Amino acid sequence: MIKGLYTAYTGMVNQMNRMDVLTNNLANSDTNGYKKEGATTQSFDDVFAYKIKDTSESSTYYQKKLGSITLGVKVGETYTDYSQGSLVETGNTYDVALTGEGFFAISYSDDNGNVYYKLTRDGAFTVDQDGYLRTKDGDYVLNQTAALTMDASSDGYIQVDPTQETTIDTSGNIFQNGELVDTIGVIDIADYDYIEKFGENMYQLVDGAEITDSAAGVEQGYIEASNVQVVSEMVDMITVARAYESNQKLIQTIDSMIGTAVTQVGRL
């Protein structure tokens, strides 16, 4: 019965982790370029029971396996679903979305003024009074050369004339007055296991990441919405809640059985 308590407890912990992931997905269902996460489950290694110091079958002592028991589940890894989100038309000149695999490269600055190379799928860009292309959080968008070389310095910032009409083609080339001004930095990663989330919709490289050219197309006047399906996430939340309640009821039942064994069976 004690084993049953532990098994039910691990089940509750696992469902709590799944619920945390689902609620985070729902909270970011309106976040541009957000990629939903999922939770995995692992089983605890089997524990073998042995006969200890049993010499009934032989004059020589040896351990004999009686079988194995499992101790429930444990929380597995959290993974990211990088599938394409739907495109939402905005008509804004500097809103761009990617169709296909790839990321925009940006120069991220923290509160201490440190500059880092980051990636994002959120193409809701703006132009400041000096003509620099920035994210909605104020980070500079990098051009193609800086994106491929991971140069987050000001040399790779994109600057346009804010008073001129701007056209962006599917390759990310920016044109003003019929002339090429710069190219939005769009790259891809050879293995997505070597990137990790940073904030709501940004990513950072980890050791071993390999930057490659991206075949993604750039669509002007659109932004990529989150790939979270709200209805699907709500259904999963109901399933998780019921599984949690089942484990909770199991603990209550086992607790009642233990109480009965202690207070009544023990009197016989």
Side-chain angles (χ1 to χ4, degrees):
M1 287 189 293
I2 301 299
K3 172 183 170 293
L5 284 173
Y6 186 80
T7 301
Y9 159 75
T10 59
M12 292 175 69
V13 171
N14 179 67
Q15 299 305 329
M16 289 174 61
N17 178 68
R18 291 182 62 193
M19 183 64 77
D20 289 342
V21 172
L22 289 171
T23 53
N24 183 62
N25 287 339
L26 285 173
N28 287 283
S29 60
D30 291 328
T31 301
N32 298 336
Y34 176 81
K35 300 303 179 184
K36 69 177 182 178
E37 297 179 327
T40 61
T41 301
Q42 295 177 309
S43 62
F44 277 105
D45 296 333
D46 289 341
V47 177
F48 290 94
Y50 295 93
K51 286 184 177 181
I52 305 299
K53 297 183 179 180
D54 180 15
T55 58
S56 59
E57 300 181 11
S58 173
S59 59
T60 304
Y61 158 68
Y62 67 97
Q63 291 184 342
K64 182 179 179 180
K65 294 180 180 179
L66 296 175
S68 63
I69 58 176
T70 180
L71 297 177
V73 299
K74 58 183 177 180
V75 176
E77 296 181 354
T78 299
Y79 64 90
T80 301
D81 178 3
Y82 292 100
S83 61
Q84 177 84 44
S86 59
L87 300 188
V88 179
E89 185 175 6
T90 65
N92 296 330
T93 301
Y94 296 104
D95 281 348
V96 287
L98 294 177
T99 56
E101 297 181 349
F103 301 89
F104 298 112
I106 61 174
S107 177
Y108 171 80
S109 300
D110 62 17
D111 295 336
N112 297 320
N114 298 314
V115 177
Y116 302 94
Y117 179 87
K118 304 292 183 185
L119 305 175
T120 186
R121 293 277 298 193
D122 183 2
F125 301 144
T126 60
V127 171
D128 63 18
Q129 60 183 5
D130 296 320
Y132 286 105
L133 192 63
R134 297 186 180 221
T135 68
K136 61 183 179 181
D137 295 321
D139 299 311
Y140 292 95
V141 180
L142 298 176
N143 60 29
Q144 187 66 18
T145 301
L148 290 172
T149 59
M150 296 176 57
D151 181 10
S153 69
S154 59
D155 294 336
Y157 296 171
I158 297 174
Q159 187 176 24
V160 299
D161 185 347
T163 65
Q164 298 294 322
E165 183 178 349
T166 302
T167 302
I168 303 174
D169 67 13
T170 56
S171 297
N173 297 316
I174 303 174
F175 294 93
Q176 289 186 322
N177 293 325
E179 296 183 358
L180 177 64
V181 177
D182 213 332
T183 303
I184 297 175
V186 180
I187 57 92
D188 201 7
I189 306 299
D191 188 344
Y192 285 8
D193 288 338
Y194 290 93
I195 58 175
E196 61 184 10
K197 281 194 171 184
F198 181 84
E200 295 177 345
N201 57 6
M202 289 191 292
Y203 303 87
Q204 62 186 6
L205 306 180
V206 298
D207 292 340
E210 179 184 351
I211 293 178
T212 63
D213 290 321
S214 172
V218 178
E219 297 292 335
Q220 184 181 20
Y222 292 83
I223 55 174
E224 182 184 5
S226 166
N227 67 350
V228 174
Q229 299 294 327
V230 175
V231 174
S232 176
E233 299 298 303
M234 291 295 293
V235 171
D236 288 342
M237 286 185 69
I238 294 173
T239 302
V240 168
R242 289 178 177 174
Y244 183 90
E245 291 173 357
S246 297
N247 283 292
Q248 190 177 42
K249 290 179 180 179
L250 178 59
I251 288 179
Q252 293 172 345
T253 300
I254 295 176
D255 181 64
S256 177
M257 293 171 62
I258 293 175
T260 300
V262 171
T263 60
Q264 298 183 26
V265 178
R267 295 177 182 177
L268 301 179

